[in-house]
Amino acid sequence: MGAVISMQRRRSTRRDRNDLRQYDDLMTQWWRPEGPFAALHWLAASRRALVPAATDPGQILLDLGCGGGLMADTSAGYVHVGVDLTTSALVHARGHGLTAVRGDVSSLPIAPATASVVVAGEILEHVHDLDAVVAEICRVLRPGGTVLIDTINDTRFAGIALVHIAERLPGGPPRHIHDPSLFVDATRLQRLFAAGGVDLDVWGLRPSVRDYLRFLVDRRRSVEMVRTRSTAGVYQGVGVKVDVSGAVERSPS
Ligand SMILES: C[S@@+](CC[C@H](N)C(=O)[O-])C[C@H]1O[C@@H](n2cnc3c(N)ncnc32)[C@H](O)[C@@H]1O
């Protein structure tokens, strides 16, 4: 197993940054909480608390760039639809109960105003046309629906901390998975969402230092992501799409 993982790591380091084939190289790793996608498990747990309870049967939670479906346990009450370009990831997502759809998040194969919740976790910093992706999120979100995002800010700090340092740390992102030129300026993102009728609230996120030290020791326990005032690194956001009546529901917090 160790040999397989190190072979996969060696293979993925030969890829260009943000090359989607890295997810095929790492396809056996999605559901290993101590593996190269560890931080995605921590982030999925942090998103979980923000998903509003479903109010009607059949409501759709649309999970963009769902990967292996790590949000699977969070979607009780919703029809959980995952969209991703990586077929090998969709196999895992489907195995964990998602309705898995192969598609590009910049051109969603989804009808307008169908999703009650759209989750865009660790996907926005991987896309080449951010304007199109945000426009698509706003198009498929029903009025009064909630959008949850987490992504990486386009700052010097994020480039150093999350690429040059974190890629070399246990629990950090796999080598070369991020291209810092695609990192997402938080103010720009809020402006794009506002144009689509969503007032996006944002805050920073970092791993709990205590949990991370424990993780270094036993690689088993999950690491809580805690909120920070600074959005210079990883940040999270929640917004609700303006209702046709002009009323806006309160964001969950
Ligand atoms: C960092 S992973 C995040 C996975 C998942 N959201 C999570 O947090 O566990 C990014 C995912 O986005 C997918 N992806 C990247 N670009 C995409 C695009 N343009 N359309 C759809 N999926 C895309 C990749 O295949 C990968 O599964």
Side-chain angles (χ1 to χ4, degrees):
M1 183 67 161
V4 173
I5 293 168
S6 68
M7 229 169 67
Q8 284 169 332
R9 287 223 173 101
R10 273 207 302 280
R11 272 213 307 262
S12 66
T13 55
R14 285 205 293 269
R15 305 278 192 209
D16 287 342
R17 290 200 166 272
N18 199 47
D19 184 332
L20 274 184
R21 288 173 298 178
Q22 291 177 83
Y23 298 103
D24 292 323
D25 298 340
L26 295 167
M27 68 184 162
T28 58
Q29 303 297 311
W30 283 108
W31 282 89
R32 292 184 61 244
E34 76 290 9
F37 291 131
L40 292 182
H41 286 256
W42 312 338
L43 285 159
S46 151
R47 273 172 228 141
R48 195 165 291 153
L50 300 174
V51 175
T55 50
D56 290 309
Q59 285 184 321
I60 291 175
L61 181 150
L62 185 61
D63 191 346
L64 300 185
C66 64
L70 302 188
M71 287 285 288
D73 299 338
T74 67
S75 54
Y78 290 96
V79 176
H80 189 172
V81 178
V83 177
D84 205 290
L85 274 177
T86 303
T87 305
S88 60
L90 289 171
V91 169
H92 289 275
R94 195 170 290 124
H96 284 83
L98 275 68
T99 301
V101 178
R102 188 169 185 281
D104 190 322
V105 294
S106 60
S107 172
L108 289 169
I110 309 279
T114 37
S116 296
V117 178
V118 177
V119 176
E122 301 303 300
I123 172 68
L124 299 177
E125 72 276 21
H126 294 282
V127 301
H128 291 276
D129 190 349
L130 182 70
D131 296 35
V133 176
V134 175
E136 281 294 84
I137 293 174
C138 296
R139 180 183 68 80
V140 300
L141 192 61
R142 70 165 179 78
T146 300
V147 59
L148 306 178
I149 65 100
D150 46 80
T151 186
I152 303 177
N153 210 338
D154 181 20
T155 61
R156 200 174 153 75
F157 168 79
I160 295 169
L162 291 153
V163 177
H164 296 297
I165 299 175
E167 283 189 1
R168 291 169 170 80
L169 293 177
R175 288 260 180 120
H176 286 195
I177 210 86
H178 289 127
D179 175 353
S181 72
L182 297 174
F183 285 179
V184 180
D185 179 78
T187 308
R188 176 180 170 217
L189 186 65
Q190 286 179 302
R191 222 180 20 245
L192 291 174
F193 271 112
V198 174
D199 183 13
L200 191 76
D201 233 359
V202 298
W203 52 86
L205 280 184
R206 66 162 173 80
S208 145
V209 174
R210 189 198 56 181
D211 288 0
Y212 184 65
L213 292 176
R214 285 184 181 166
F215 174 81
L216 288 182
V217 173
D218 66 15
R219 304 284 163 99
R220 278 207 304 268
R221 267 176 288 205
S222 183
V223 174
E224 186 189 357
M225 297 300 290
V226 294
R227 291 191 186 192
T228 61
R229 221 179 296 161
S230 167
T231 57
V234 174
Y235 63 97
Q236 191 169 50
V238 176
V240 173
K241 185 170 172 182
V242 179
D243 208 332
V244 271
S245 63
V248 178
E249 291 171 15
R250 266 177 68 81
S251 306
S253 54

